[in-house]
């Protein structure tokens, strides 16, 4: 008997696609939000911080249901997108959005710690030498917090690989379209005689997560040496 079924390979590929897309989409937003939380001085900053961290304490199913209300055909965003014939529910895009929202707090926390470790004296010195706010960010803040940014990206990628609750609510569990590794494992555990295949996918998930951690550690050490 084969170690993996053809449908399992689709689930693995979809998981990698979803995790990669969610990480790439969320990183620019995470950089902006982290900068606001570190350097911003505006009313409602505490509220913004609470909203960003809310997915950490909410059950993923609750996050998925809230996203379903938001992106459904009667939702605020969903109704607008329907006017452009764009559907989020039960699509790969929905899986990406669910993973991005759930993993976003981990990304922001890591980037924020990195930015807070950068001395403001460096930025003030750059500004006094004529650098604009954008120049100071891209030449001072971002390079010095690069390790934290990459660490946040790898954490979010790994979290996205294991996302289940929000994904199954928003994107469904459609083999070949939205079924990621955790959803495929759920199907196998609900099927008589599917324990062996569920264990196979669990091993694949463990290997993928372990490889991500190894890459993160190796990249972190390389950046530290530089």
């Amino acid at each position: 008997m084969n170690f993996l079924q053809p449908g399992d390979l689709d689930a693995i590929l979809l998981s990698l696609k979803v995790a990669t897309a969610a990480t790439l989409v969320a990183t620019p937003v995470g950089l902006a939000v982290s900068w606001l939380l570190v350097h911003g001085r505006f009313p409602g900053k505490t509220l913004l911080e609470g909203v960003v961290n809310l997915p950490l304490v909410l059950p993923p199913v609750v996050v998925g249901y809230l996203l379903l209300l938001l992106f459904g055909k009667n939702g605020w965003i969903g109704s607008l997108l329907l006017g452009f014939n764009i559907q989020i529910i039960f699509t790969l895009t929905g899986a990406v959005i669910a993973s991005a929202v759930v993993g976003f707090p981990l990304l922001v926390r890591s980037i924020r710690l990195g930015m807070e470790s950068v001395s403001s004296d460096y930025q003030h010195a750059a500004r006094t030498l004529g650098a604009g706010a954008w120049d100071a960010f891209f030449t001072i803040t971002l390079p010095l917090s690069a390790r934290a940014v990459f660490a946040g990206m790898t954490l979010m990628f790994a979290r996205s690989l294991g996302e289940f609750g929000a994904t199954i609510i928003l994107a469904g569990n459609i083999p070949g379209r939205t079924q990621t590794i955790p959803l495929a494992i759920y199907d196998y555990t609900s099927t008589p005689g599917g324990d062996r295949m569920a264990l196979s996918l669990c091993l694949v998930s463990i290997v993928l997560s372990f490889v991500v951690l190894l890459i993160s550690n190796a990249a972190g050490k390389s950046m530290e040496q530089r």
Side-chain angles (χ1 to χ4, degrees), residues 42-127:
F42 56 92
K45 180 178 177 180
T46 303
L47 179 62
L48 174 62
E49 185 175 3
V51 171
V52 168
N53 290 318
L54 196 57
L56 280 179
V57 296
L58 285 178
V61 173
V62 174
V63 175
Y65 182 68
L66 294 176
L67 291 174
L68 183 64
L69 294 178
L70 190 63
F71 287 99
K73 64 179 182 179
N74 296 322
W76 177 56
I77 297 179
S79 58
L80 293 176
L81 293 177
L82 280 179
F84 298 95
N85 199 28
I86 299 175
Q87 181 178 342
I88 300 298
I89 308 302
F90 303 129
T91 65
L92 189 62
T93 303
V96 172
I97 292 174
S99 295
V101 171
V102 172
F104 190 70
L106 297 176
L107 177 71
V108 171
R109 280 183 168 230
S110 181
I111 297 176
R112 181 180 180 181
L113 289 174
M115 288 186 177
E116 288 176 342
S117 67
V118 178
S119 175
S120 59
D121 294 339
Y122 296 143
Q123 300 177 52
H124 293 325
R127 298 299 297 273

